Amino acid sequence: MTVRSAILAILAQGPCYGYQLRLEYERRTGGSVNVGQVYTTLDRLERDGLASKGQADAAGHVYYSITAAGAAEAMGWIVAPVERAPRDELAVKLALALTLPGADAAGLIAAQRERTTAEVARLRAEQHDDVARALVADALVRSYEAELAWLEHCESVIATVEPYALAAETPKRGRPSRA
Amino acid sequence: MTVRSAILAILAQGPCYGYQLRLEYERRTGGSVNVGQVYTTLDRLERDGLASKGQADAAGHVYYSITAAGAAEAMGWIVAPVERAPRDELAVKLALALTLPGADAAGLIAAQRERTTAEVARLRAEQHDDVARALVADALVRSYEAELAWLEHCESVIATVEPYALAAETPKRGRPSRA
DNA sequence: CACCGCATGTAACGTGTTACATGATTCA
DNA sequence: TGAATCATGTAACACGTTACATGCGGTG
């Protein structure tokens, strides 16, 4: 619900039209959103009673305003801690690579390290005049660096342990046994 | 596509039925999947020519087998580095909290720290006999710790900078100006 | 018997993605 | 004139979530 909530939050600062919301979102977070999604999201916000659509003004801009319910939800969203993603794709992938005979875990680690290293370099090279955007970039850099450290850890664990401890039996036919 | 790809990968090791795939997924990754999703995912995999549904055996189990195309895709998935999530919800949230007048950025940081700290403690307390699952848990711990460090960093930046540098003008009516 | 785990599914819905259609305005 | 940007939308679809329906088999 990130896009939806973010749009609602921006709307909490004052009425905006769709295209403008997209620009504001990108200006504030440094991210990007598909324009089409902004419009469908605005429809849904209105459907849910969190925003209301105004008449087109002289310039043809269709302004949306936040409702009382919407404002409450937006402020609630801001202070609520984020739900953890139930699945970390990289971790799941590596777990499977390790328990699947013939899967190339080392190859995954190498490829992932290459990509993440490049990404860190790219982010480090960016200039940020804006504090908020600098913090967003910093969050990414830190998480990528943690990932790189984890990848190294994985390599060393695999090196010491691989031959015997990772054998995953083929799922058996018949009754499965609980872990 | 994590669940879909993971199921396909497990299928690469040998035919499985739905319920069994769920158990295997949980055994190998320590995560959980809704059973219903396994069945709908199997339908989609068959629709896409990556798996094929067999007849129910004597025990009534409906086995799915991977196809050649499916095996290729599974192995490709394993070694491909993960795409980075385009939006880090916490970072987006904080960026908005900082650029939105009246939003409680400090409250967000406090709430998030509390939750993440608790989560780290919980994960540290877990016992792992299985190497792959231990690595998955370790990935989480490391990313959470990076998050906590980032939150501290945010606090210090905000403390030194807040009064003047974060002022975000209200989106203006009329032509918006590019960032 | 009642409950739980096994096992297979379906229905309804949510956010988010991509691609497309359309038109006005700006500017080289 | 032609391209880019501004601006609003629609259509089709993807994965994922929750909740529900149904039935079998073992066990306290």
Side-chain angles (χ1 to χ4, degrees), chain A residues 20 25 28 32 77-78 80-82 84 87 89 93 99 108 112 119 135 138 144 150 153 172 176, chain B residues 17 20 25 28 32 77-78 80-82 84 87 89 93 99 108 112 135 138 144 150 153 172 176:
Chain A
Q20 188 180 22
Y25 176 90
R28 290 169 194 241
S32 66
W77 175 73
I78 292 263
V82 304
R84 333 230 103 283
R87 278 179 279 277
E89 179 167 6
K93 215 183 243 204
T99 57
L108 167 59
Q112 188 68 39
E119 196 64 12
L135 286 178
D138 189 56
Y144 289 168
W150 178 71
H153 175 64
K172 287 169 191 57
Chain B
Y17 56 90
Q20 188 180 21
Y25 176 90
R28 290 169 194 240
S32 67
W77 175 72
I78 292 263
V82 303
R84 62 187 185 88
R87 278 179 279 277
E89 180 167 5
K93 214 183 243 203
T99 58
L108 168 59
Q112 188 68 39
L135 287 177
D138 189 56
Y144 290 169
W150 178 71
H153 175 64
K172 288 169 192 56

Side-chain angles (χ1 to χ4, degrees), chain B residues 11-172:
Chain B
L11 233 30
Q13 201 176 343
C16 289
Y17 56 90
Y19 201 87
Q20 188 180 21
L21 283 165
R22 180 213 207 181
L23 294 177
E24 280 298 312
Y25 176 90
E26 299 186 348
R27 184 174 72 80
R28 290 169 194 240
T29 68
S32 67
V33 209
N34 182 284
V35 203
Q37 191 180 346
V38 174
Y39 293 105
T40 55
T41 300
L42 284 170
D43 285 345
R44 291 165 185 166
L45 287 173
E46 181 167 49
R47 175 202 62 191
D48 299 340
L50 305 175
S52 68
K53 187 176 189 168
Q55 301 295 321
D57 70 3
H61 293 150
V62 183
Y63 278 86
Y64 281 79
S65 311
I66 200 164
T67 65
E73 180 148 322
M75 289 305 132
W77 175 72
I78 292 263
V79 296
V82 303
E83 298 296 328
R84 62 187 185 88
R87 278 179 279 277
D88 175 339
E89 180 167 5
L90 179 56
V92 166
K93 214 183 243 203
L94 202 102
L96 289 173
L98 291 178
T99 58
L100 231 50
D104 184 8
L108 168 59
I109 290 174
Q112 188 68 39
R113 174 152 46 210
E114 195 173 333
R115 166 167 303 196
T116 302
T117 302
E119 196 63 13
V120 168
R122 197 183 61 69
L123 283 167
R124 281 202 187 290
E126 280 179 6
Q127 298 298 325
H128 295 286
D129 39 345
D130 184 285
V131 175
R133 286 170 66 161
L135 287 177
V136 172
D138 189 56
L140 282 179
V141 169
R142 283 165 187 266
S143 77
Y144 290 169
E145 284 177 342
E147 183 186 297
L148 290 171
W150 178 71
L151 288 171
E152 270 192 46
H153 175 64
C154 289
E155 268 187 339
S156 72
V157 168
I158 293 169
T160 59
V161 118
E162 180 147 39
Y164 52 99
L166 294 173
E169 69 271 31
T170 307
K172 288 169 192 56

